[in-house]
């Protein structure tokens, strides 16, 4: 569902398990969120944005990452 997020995850080697760990959720729950089957909270979106800064030293806007 979030094409930019998925593209940047692929580009920078960030996997579902990384997001799951960052959000303290299971990988299957992370998958549901990334595929639009469960809601991503604003706090979770900020944490995902922070993950890109931590792992790849890039800072994307939330608007860009979560564009539908």
């Amino acid at each position: 569902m979030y094409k930019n997020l998925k593209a940047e995850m692929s580009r920078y080697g960030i996997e579902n398990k990384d997001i799951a760990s960052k959000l303290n959720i299971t990988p299957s729950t992370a998958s549901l969120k990334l595929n639009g089957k469960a809601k991503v909270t604003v706090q979770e979106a900020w944490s995902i944005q922070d993950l890109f800064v931590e792992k790849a030293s890039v800072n994307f806007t939330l608007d860009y990452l979560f564009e539908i």
Side-chain angles (χ1 to χ4, degrees), residues 1-32:
M1 175 168 201
Y2 304 113
K3 63 181 178 168
N4 293 339
L5 175 59
K6 290 183 178 186
E8 299 302 348
M9 286 173 62
S10 178
R11 184 172 292 129
Y12 290 100
I14 295 174
E15 300 177 357
N16 283 8
K17 66 180 182 173
D18 299 318
I19 290 178
S21 177
K22 180 73 174 176
L23 300 181
N24 199 27
I25 58 177
T26 66
S28 60
T29 300
S31 180
L32 289 173

Side-chain angles (χ1 to χ4, degrees), residues 22 40-51 62 66:
K22 180 73 174 176
V40 176
T41 68
V42 172
Q43 185 65 37
E44 290 171 334
W46 287 333
S47 293
I48 292 169
Q49 181 187 39
D50 288 342
L51 184 62
L62 291 180
F66 292 94

